[in-house]
Amino acid sequence: MTAARQTAVTAMKNELLRRMRGELEIEISGELPQRLLNLAQRQGLIFRDIRFVSSERLRARIALADVYRLRPLMRPCRCRLRICRRIGLPFTLAFLRRRPLLPLGALLAIGLLVFVNSLIFEIEVGGPYPLSEQRVAQILQLAEQQGLKSGACVWRLDLQQIERQIADNAAQISFAEIYRCGNNVYIEVVERDGLSADEQPLPAGDIVAACDGLIIDVLVRQGTAAVQSGDAVTAGQVLIYGYQGQRRLAASGIVNAEVYGRGYGECALSGTAERYTGRSCKNLAVRVNDGALLLIAGADPAPYQLYDTERRSRRLSLGRNKPLSVEFVVSKICEKEQYTLRRSADEAAAIAAEAATAAARAALPEQANLSDTQLTEILLEDDLRRMQAVLTATAEIGVFRAAE
Protein backbone atom coordinates (compact mmCIF):
# COMPACT_ATOMS: atom_id res chain seq x y z
CA MET A 1 0.00 0.00 0.00
CA THR A 2 1.41 3.41 -0.99
CA ALA A 3 1.96 6.18 1.55
CA ALA A 4 -0.78 8.38 0.03
CA ARG A 5 -3.32 5.55 0.11
CA GLN A 6 -2.40 4.60 3.66
CA THR A 7 -2.84 8.23 4.73
CA ALA A 8 -6.29 8.36 3.08
CA VAL A 9 -7.38 5.14 4.82
CA THR A 10 -6.21 6.45 8.19
CA ALA A 11 -8.10 9.71 7.68
CA MET A 12 -11.30 7.80 6.85
CA LYS A 13 -10.97 5.68 9.99
CA ASN A 14 -10.45 8.75 12.18
CA GLU A 15 -13.45 10.50 10.64
CA LEU A 16 -15.64 7.44 11.28
CA LEU A 17 -14.53 7.30 14.93
CA ARG A 18 -15.29 11.00 15.43
CA ARG A 19 -18.77 10.50 13.94
CA MET A 20 -19.48 7.60 16.28
CA ARG A 21 -18.28 9.46 19.42
CA GLY A 22 -19.94 12.74 18.52
CA GLU A 23 -18.54 16.13 17.59
CA LEU A 24 -19.57 19.76 18.09
CA GLU A 25 -19.00 22.79 15.94
CA ILE A 26 -18.55 25.70 18.40
CA GLU A 27 -18.03 29.44 18.24
CA ILE A 28 -15.74 31.12 20.78
CA SER A 29 -16.00 34.88 21.27
CA GLY A 30 -14.27 37.16 23.72
CA GLU A 31 -11.24 39.30 24.38
CA LEU A 32 -8.57 36.58 24.34
CA PRO A 33 -9.62 33.61 22.16
CA GLN A 34 -5.98 32.88 21.26
CA ARG A 35 -5.15 32.46 24.96
CA LEU A 36 -8.01 30.01 25.30
CA LEU A 37 -6.60 27.94 22.45
CA ASN A 38 -3.18 27.83 24.12
CA LEU A 39 -4.60 26.80 27.51
CA ALA A 40 -6.75 24.09 25.85
CA GLN A 41 -3.74 22.71 23.99
CA ARG A 42 -1.82 22.45 27.28
CA GLN A 43 -4.76 20.50 28.75
CA GLY A 44 -4.62 18.05 25.79
CA LEU A 45 -7.77 19.30 24.04
CA ILE A 46 -7.78 19.02 20.25
CA PHE A 47 -9.50 21.52 17.95
CA ARG A 48 -10.17 20.91 14.26
CA ASP A 49 -11.03 23.21 11.38
CA ILE A 50 -10.12 26.39 13.28
CA ARG A 51 -11.41 29.49 11.44
CA PHE A 52 -11.09 33.06 12.72
CA VAL A 53 -14.24 34.99 11.92
CA SER A 54 -12.73 38.16 13.42
CA SER A 55 -10.02 39.12 15.90
CA GLU A 56 -12.36 38.33 18.80
CA ARG A 57 -14.32 35.40 17.39
CA LEU A 58 -13.39 31.99 15.95
CA ARG A 59 -15.05 28.73 14.98
CA ALA A 60 -13.73 25.20 15.45
CA ARG A 61 -14.74 21.59 15.94
CA ILE A 62 -14.19 19.68 19.17
CA ALA A 63 -15.06 16.21 20.42
CA LEU A 64 -18.24 15.94 22.52
CA ALA A 65 -16.34 14.59 25.54
CA ASP A 66 -13.86 17.53 25.49
CA VAL A 67 -16.51 20.25 25.80
CA TYR A 68 -16.89 19.66 29.52
CA ARG A 69 -13.13 20.10 30.02
CA LEU A 70 -13.19 23.31 27.96
CA ARG A 71 -15.83 25.14 30.00
CA PRO A 72 -13.62 25.78 33.16
CA LEU A 73 -11.12 27.59 30.91
CA MET A 74 -13.66 30.05 29.56
CA ARG A 75 -13.91 32.37 32.61
CA PRO A 76 -10.14 33.13 33.07
CA CYS A 77 -9.90 34.03 29.37
CA ARG A 78 -13.15 36.07 29.48
CA CYS A 79 -14.61 34.09 26.54
CA ARG A 80 -18.05 32.76 25.73
CA LEU A 81 -18.94 29.49 23.96
CA ARG A 82 -21.85 28.90 21.63
CA ILE A 83 -22.73 25.55 20.03
CA CYS A 84 -23.42 26.01 16.31
CA ARG A 85 -23.88 22.43 15.15
CA ARG A 86 -24.12 18.91 16.60
CA ILE A 87 -22.60 16.11 14.53
CA GLY A 88 -22.46 12.35 15.06
CA LEU A 89 -24.25 9.23 16.26
CA PRO A 90 -25.05 10.29 19.87
CA PHE A 91 -27.13 13.25 18.67
CA THR A 92 -28.94 11.10 16.07
CA LEU A 93 -29.86 8.54 18.75
CA ALA A 94 -31.04 11.29 21.09
CA PHE A 95 -33.23 12.68 18.28
CA LEU A 96 -34.78 9.24 17.66
CA ARG A 97 -35.39 8.64 21.38
CA ARG A 98 -37.47 11.81 21.53
CA ARG A 99 -39.46 10.61 18.48
CA PRO A 100 -39.86 6.81 18.85
CA LEU A 101 -42.55 6.59 16.16
CA LEU A 102 -40.27 7.97 13.46
CA PRO A 103 -37.96 4.90 13.08
CA LEU A 104 -40.97 2.61 13.45
CA GLY A 105 -42.76 4.43 10.64
CA ALA A 106 -39.65 4.27 8.46
CA LEU A 107 -39.36 0.52 9.01
CA LEU A 108 -43.04 0.03 8.21
CA ALA A 109 -42.71 2.10 5.03
CA ILE A 110 -39.67 0.11 3.90
CA GLY A 111 -41.43 -3.17 4.66
CA LEU A 112 -44.50 -2.05 2.72
CA LEU A 113 -42.38 -1.09 -0.29
CA VAL A 114 -40.56 -4.42 -0.23
CA PHE A 115 -43.87 -6.31 0.02
CA VAL A 116 -45.47 -4.40 -2.85
CA ASN A 117 -42.34 -4.91 -4.96
CA SER A 118 -42.57 -8.67 -4.40
CA LEU A 119 -46.10 -8.87 -5.87
CA ILE A 120 -46.74 -9.82 -9.49
CA PHE A 121 -49.04 -7.38 -11.29
CA GLU A 122 -48.89 -8.62 -14.88
CA ILE A 123 -47.65 -11.67 -16.81
CA GLU A 124 -46.67 -11.42 -20.47
CA VAL A 125 -45.81 -14.27 -22.86
CA GLY A 126 -43.58 -13.74 -25.89
CA GLY A 127 -40.64 -15.07 -27.83
CA PRO A 128 -38.43 -14.55 -30.89
CA TYR A 129 -41.17 -16.03 -33.11
CA PRO A 130 -44.86 -15.04 -33.19
CA LEU A 131 -47.11 -17.10 -30.91
CA SER A 132 -50.73 -17.98 -31.48
CA GLU A 133 -53.42 -17.03 -28.96
CA GLN A 134 -53.94 -20.72 -28.14
CA ARG A 135 -50.23 -21.12 -27.36
CA VAL A 136 -50.20 -18.02 -25.13
CA ALA A 137 -53.26 -19.28 -23.26
CA GLN A 138 -51.62 -22.68 -22.80
CA ILE A 139 -48.44 -21.12 -21.37
CA LEU A 140 -50.43 -18.92 -18.97
CA GLN A 141 -52.45 -21.93 -17.81
CA LEU A 142 -49.32 -23.99 -17.15
CA ALA A 143 -47.77 -21.06 -15.25
CA GLU A 144 -50.90 -20.61 -13.15
CA GLN A 145 -50.88 -24.30 -12.23
CA GLN A 146 -47.41 -23.73 -10.77
CA GLY A 147 -48.59 -20.66 -8.80
CA LEU A 148 -47.36 -17.98 -11.22
CA LYS A 149 -50.32 -15.60 -11.52
CA SER A 150 -51.25 -11.98 -10.90
CA GLY A 151 -51.14 -11.11 -7.21
CA ALA A 152 -48.77 -13.93 -6.28
CA CYS A 153 -45.67 -13.26 -4.20
CA VAL A 154 -42.53 -13.93 -6.18
CA TRP A 155 -40.63 -15.00 -3.03
CA ARG A 156 -42.74 -18.14 -2.80
CA LEU A 157 -42.11 -19.21 -6.41
CA ASP A 158 -39.24 -21.19 -7.91
CA LEU A 159 -38.99 -19.62 -11.37
CA GLN A 160 -36.45 -22.17 -12.63
CA GLN A 161 -38.74 -25.04 -11.64
CA ILE A 162 -41.65 -23.34 -13.44
CA GLU A 163 -39.47 -22.98 -16.57
CA ARG A 164 -38.75 -26.72 -16.53
CA GLN A 165 -42.43 -27.58 -15.99
CA ILE A 166 -43.51 -25.44 -18.94
CA ALA A 167 -40.86 -26.97 -21.24
CA ASP A 168 -41.72 -30.54 -20.10
CA ASN A 169 -45.54 -30.26 -20.15
CA ALA A 170 -45.89 -28.36 -23.45
CA ALA A 171 -44.94 -30.69 -26.30
CA GLN A 172 -44.41 -27.85 -28.80
CA ILE A 173 -42.20 -25.79 -26.46
CA SER A 174 -38.48 -26.48 -26.66
CA PHE A 175 -37.24 -23.67 -24.42
CA ALA A 176 -38.76 -21.42 -21.73
CA GLU A 177 -37.23 -18.58 -19.71
CA ILE A 178 -38.91 -16.48 -16.98
CA TYR A 179 -37.55 -13.17 -15.72
CA ARG A 180 -38.85 -10.19 -13.74
CA CYS A 181 -38.86 -6.52 -14.61
CA GLY A 182 -40.29 -4.59 -11.68
CA ASN A 183 -43.71 -6.00 -10.88
CA ASN A 184 -44.11 -7.61 -14.31
CA VAL A 185 -43.08 -11.14 -15.20
CA TYR A 186 -42.11 -12.07 -18.77
CA ILE A 187 -42.20 -15.64 -20.09
CA GLU A 188 -40.04 -16.13 -23.19
CA VAL A 189 -40.71 -19.40 -25.07
CA VAL A 190 -39.46 -20.96 -28.31
CA GLU A 191 -41.65 -23.36 -30.26
CA ARG A 192 -40.19 -26.36 -32.02
CA ASP A 193 -41.93 -25.40 -35.28
CA GLY A 194 -40.22 -22.02 -35.26
CA LEU A 195 -36.72 -23.49 -35.27
CA SER A 196 -34.57 -24.28 -38.28
CA ALA A 197 -33.26 -27.79 -38.86
CA ASP A 198 -29.92 -26.98 -37.18
CA GLU A 199 -31.64 -25.39 -34.16
CA GLN A 200 -34.08 -28.22 -33.51
CA PRO A 201 -33.50 -29.80 -30.07
CA LEU A 202 -31.95 -33.24 -30.14
CA PRO A 203 -34.04 -36.24 -29.10
CA ALA A 204 -32.94 -38.54 -26.30
CA GLY A 205 -29.75 -40.37 -27.23
CA ASP A 206 -26.12 -41.19 -26.43
CA ILE A 207 -22.67 -39.99 -27.49
CA VAL A 208 -20.82 -42.81 -29.28
CA ALA A 209 -17.33 -43.18 -30.73
CA ALA A 210 -16.95 -42.26 -34.40
CA CYS A 211 -13.79 -44.38 -34.71
CA ASP A 212 -11.37 -46.48 -32.68
CA GLY A 213 -9.12 -44.66 -30.24
CA LEU A 214 -7.56 -44.32 -26.79
CA ILE A 215 -9.48 -41.92 -24.50
CA ILE A 216 -7.55 -38.84 -23.30
CA ASP A 217 -10.25 -36.93 -21.41
CA VAL A 218 -14.04 -36.78 -21.13
CA LEU A 219 -16.06 -33.59 -20.53
CA VAL A 220 -19.72 -34.30 -19.79
CA ARG A 221 -22.18 -31.47 -20.26
CA GLN A 222 -25.30 -33.59 -19.97
CA GLY A 223 -25.61 -37.29 -19.27
CA THR A 224 -23.43 -39.91 -17.57
CA ALA A 225 -19.87 -40.79 -18.63
CA ALA A 226 -19.39 -44.41 -19.75
CA VAL A 227 -15.61 -44.27 -20.23
CA GLN A 228 -12.66 -42.60 -18.58
CA SER A 229 -9.14 -41.50 -19.45
CA GLY A 230 -6.97 -44.39 -20.64
CA ASP A 231 -9.81 -46.60 -21.94
CA ALA A 232 -9.53 -48.09 -25.44
CA VAL A 233 -12.77 -47.76 -27.41
CA THR A 234 -14.02 -49.01 -30.76
CA ALA A 235 -16.25 -47.34 -33.33
CA GLY A 236 -19.89 -47.25 -32.18
CA GLN A 237 -19.11 -47.77 -28.47
CA VAL A 238 -21.14 -45.59 -26.08
CA LEU A 239 -19.01 -42.84 -24.51
CA ILE A 240 -21.68 -40.79 -22.68
CA TYR A 241 -25.04 -42.31 -21.76
CA GLY A 242 -28.11 -40.13 -22.27
CA TYR A 243 -29.32 -40.63 -18.70
CA GLN A 244 -29.43 -38.21 -15.76
CA GLY A 245 -30.54 -40.43 -12.93
CA GLN A 246 -33.73 -42.07 -14.21
CA ARG A 247 -34.40 -39.32 -16.73
CA ARG A 248 -33.72 -40.01 -20.44
CA LEU A 249 -32.24 -37.06 -22.32
CA ALA A 250 -29.91 -36.05 -25.15
CA ALA A 251 -26.34 -36.67 -24.04
CA SER A 252 -23.87 -33.85 -24.63
CA GLY A 253 -20.13 -33.55 -24.07
CA ILE A 254 -16.64 -33.59 -25.54
CA VAL A 255 -14.53 -36.75 -25.72
CA ASN A 256 -10.93 -36.32 -26.85
CA ALA A 257 -8.99 -39.43 -27.85
CA GLU A 258 -5.77 -40.54 -29.47
CA VAL A 259 -6.64 -42.01 -32.86
CA TYR A 260 -4.58 -43.89 -35.45
CA GLY A 261 -4.76 -43.88 -39.23
CA ARG A 262 -3.14 -46.55 -41.40
CA GLY A 263 -2.47 -46.30 -45.12
CA TYR A 264 -0.65 -48.18 -47.88
CA GLY A 265 1.06 -46.83 -50.99
CA GLU A 266 3.19 -48.26 -53.78
CA CYS A 267 5.10 -46.99 -56.78
CA ALA A 268 6.83 -48.83 -59.66
CA LEU A 269 10.42 -48.11 -60.62
CA SER A 270 9.36 -47.84 -64.26
CA GLY A 271 6.08 -46.91 -65.90
CA THR A 272 4.34 -45.15 -68.76
CA ALA A 273 3.59 -41.42 -68.72
CA GLU A 274 2.32 -38.78 -71.18
CA ARG A 275 3.82 -35.49 -72.33
CA TYR A 276 3.12 -32.80 -74.91
CA THR A 277 5.14 -32.89 -78.15
CA GLY A 278 4.72 -29.18 -78.90
CA ARG A 279 2.70 -29.73 -82.10
CA SER A 280 -0.83 -28.37 -82.27
CA CYS A 281 -3.55 -27.21 -84.64
CA LYS A 282 -6.75 -25.18 -84.44
CA ASN A 283 -10.25 -25.24 -85.85
CA LEU A 284 -13.20 -22.87 -85.85
CA ALA A 285 -16.80 -23.95 -85.42
CA VAL A 286 -20.15 -22.26 -84.91
CA ARG A 287 -23.13 -23.28 -82.81
CA VAL A 288 -26.65 -22.00 -83.55
CA ASN A 289 -29.46 -22.15 -80.96
CA ASP A 290 -27.30 -24.31 -78.68
CA GLY A 291 -27.26 -27.06 -81.27
CA ALA A 292 -24.40 -29.15 -82.65
CA LEU A 293 -21.06 -27.61 -83.62
CA LEU A 294 -20.66 -26.85 -87.34
CA LEU A 295 -17.03 -26.80 -88.53
CA ILE A 296 -16.06 -23.68 -90.48
CA ALA A 297 -12.29 -24.04 -90.79
CA GLY A 298 -9.49 -26.20 -89.49
CA ALA A 299 -8.77 -29.88 -88.95
CA ASP A 300 -11.59 -32.29 -88.19
CA PRO A 301 -11.13 -34.94 -87.00
CA ALA A 302 -7.90 -34.32 -85.04
CA PRO A 303 -4.81 -35.40 -86.97
CA TYR A 304 -3.16 -36.84 -83.83
CA GLN A 305 -3.66 -40.22 -82.22
CA LEU A 306 -3.24 -38.89 -78.63
CA TYR A 307 -4.18 -35.30 -77.84
CA ASP A 308 -5.88 -32.78 -75.54
CA THR A 309 -8.38 -30.14 -76.63
CA GLU A 310 -8.71 -26.58 -75.27
CA ARG A 311 -11.82 -24.65 -76.26
CA ARG A 312 -12.75 -20.98 -76.10
CA SER A 313 -16.19 -19.68 -77.06
CA ARG A 314 -17.78 -16.30 -77.67
CA ARG A 315 -21.48 -15.52 -78.10
CA LEU A 316 -22.60 -12.71 -80.36
CA SER A 317 -24.73 -9.95 -78.83
CA LEU A 318 -26.58 -6.96 -80.30
CA GLY A 319 -26.75 -5.25 -76.96
CA ARG A 320 -26.87 -5.77 -73.21
CA ASN A 321 -30.45 -7.07 -73.25
CA LYS A 322 -30.53 -8.70 -76.72
CA PRO A 323 -28.18 -11.71 -76.83
CA LEU A 324 -28.03 -13.69 -80.08
CA SER A 325 -28.12 -17.49 -80.21
CA VAL A 326 -24.94 -17.69 -82.34
CA GLU A 327 -21.78 -18.93 -80.64
CA PHE A 328 -18.29 -19.23 -82.17
CA VAL A 329 -15.98 -21.89 -80.73
CA VAL A 330 -12.20 -21.98 -81.26
CA SER A 331 -10.56 -25.31 -80.42
CA LYS A 332 -6.83 -25.87 -79.93
CA ILE A 333 -5.69 -29.48 -80.37
CA CYS A 334 -2.35 -30.31 -78.66
CA GLU A 335 -0.57 -33.56 -79.51
CA LYS A 336 0.64 -35.85 -76.71
CA GLU A 337 2.90 -38.87 -76.69
CA GLN A 338 3.62 -41.70 -74.31
CA TYR A 339 7.07 -42.40 -72.96
CA THR A 340 8.70 -44.74 -70.50
CA LEU A 341 9.31 -43.14 -67.11
CA ARG A 342 12.07 -44.56 -64.96
CA ARG A 343 12.47 -43.66 -61.31
CA SER A 344 15.25 -44.22 -58.83
CA ALA A 345 14.58 -46.29 -55.72
CA ASP A 346 14.46 -43.16 -53.55
CA GLU A 347 12.02 -41.38 -55.87
CA ALA A 348 9.69 -44.39 -55.96
CA ALA A 349 9.89 -44.71 -52.17
CA ALA A 350 9.01 -41.01 -51.73
CA ILE A 351 5.98 -41.33 -54.04
CA ALA A 352 4.83 -44.49 -52.24
CA ALA A 353 5.28 -42.77 -48.83
CA GLU A 354 3.22 -39.77 -49.99
CA ALA A 355 0.41 -42.04 -51.16
CA ALA A 356 0.48 -44.06 -47.93
CA THR A 357 0.40 -40.87 -45.82
CA ALA A 358 -2.55 -39.51 -47.82
CA ALA A 359 -4.45 -42.77 -47.36
CA ALA A 360 -3.74 -42.78 -43.62
CA ARG A 361 -4.81 -39.14 -43.29
CA ALA A 362 -8.10 -39.93 -45.06
CA ALA A 363 -8.80 -42.57 -42.40
CA LEU A 364 -8.56 -39.96 -39.60
CA PRO A 365 -11.32 -37.50 -38.56
CA GLU A 366 -11.23 -34.18 -40.43
CA GLN A 367 -10.38 -32.09 -37.34
CA ALA A 368 -7.65 -34.42 -36.06
CA ASN A 369 -4.34 -32.85 -35.00
CA LEU A 370 -1.36 -34.94 -36.07
CA SER A 371 1.21 -35.72 -33.41
CA ASP A 372 3.36 -38.49 -34.93
CA THR A 373 4.02 -40.15 -38.32
CA GLN A 374 5.65 -43.56 -38.78
CA LEU A 375 6.63 -44.90 -42.21
CA THR A 376 7.58 -48.56 -42.77
CA GLU A 377 8.86 -49.98 -46.04
CA ILE A 378 7.58 -53.38 -47.17
CA LEU A 379 10.39 -55.19 -48.97
CA LEU A 380 9.53 -57.71 -51.72
CA GLU A 381 11.57 -58.95 -54.68
CA ASP A 382 9.95 -57.02 -57.52
CA ASP A 383 10.18 -53.57 -59.13
CA LEU A 384 7.64 -51.95 -56.76
CA ARG A 385 8.45 -49.85 -53.71
CA ARG A 386 5.82 -50.33 -51.00
CA MET A 387 5.30 -48.11 -47.93
CA GLN A 388 2.97 -48.35 -44.95
CA ALA A 389 2.12 -45.21 -42.91
CA VAL A 390 0.76 -45.04 -39.36
CA LEU A 391 -0.40 -41.57 -38.23
CA THR A 392 -1.06 -40.74 -34.58
CA ALA A 393 -3.39 -37.80 -33.86
CA THR A 394 -5.73 -36.36 -31.25
CA ALA A 395 -9.36 -35.69 -32.15
CA GLU A 396 -12.83 -35.27 -30.73
CA ILE A 397 -14.47 -38.62 -31.55
CA GLY A 398 -17.88 -38.28 -29.89
CA VAL A 399 -20.92 -38.21 -32.17
CA PHE A 400 -24.59 -38.13 -31.21
CA ARG A 401 -26.76 -41.19 -31.80
CA ALA A 402 -30.49 -41.01 -31.11
CA ALA A 403 -32.01 -43.68 -28.93
CA GLU A 404 -34.02 -46.32 -30.72
Side-chain angles (χ1 to χ4, degrees), residues 233-275:
V233 297
T234 58
Q237 181 177 340
V238 177
L239 304 177
I240 302 176
Y241 287 111
Y243 285 97
Q244 197 78 40
Q246 300 296 325
R247 182 186 175 193
R248 195 74 166 100
L249 43 74
S252 176
I254 298 175
V255 182
N256 292 318
E258 189 175 80
V259 295
Y260 306 93
R262 294 176 174 82
Y264 170 79
E266 63 182 22
C267 180
L269 296 177
S270 61
T272 302
E274 296 179 350
R275 62 187 176 189

Side-chain angles (χ1 to χ4, degrees), residues 283-301:
N283 61 33
L284 175 64
V286 65
R287 189 197 309 269
V288 180
N289 293 330
D290 296 329
L293 287 173
L294 302 176
L295 183 65
I296 297 177
D300 187 34

Side-chain angles (χ1 to χ4, degrees), residues 12 38 41 58 94 106 111 195 201 205 207 213 215 298 345 354 376 404:
M12 291 177 60
N38 294 333
Q41 186 177 7
L58 63 86
L195 296 175
I207 298 294
I215 300 298
E354 183 178 355
T376 305
E404 298 180 355

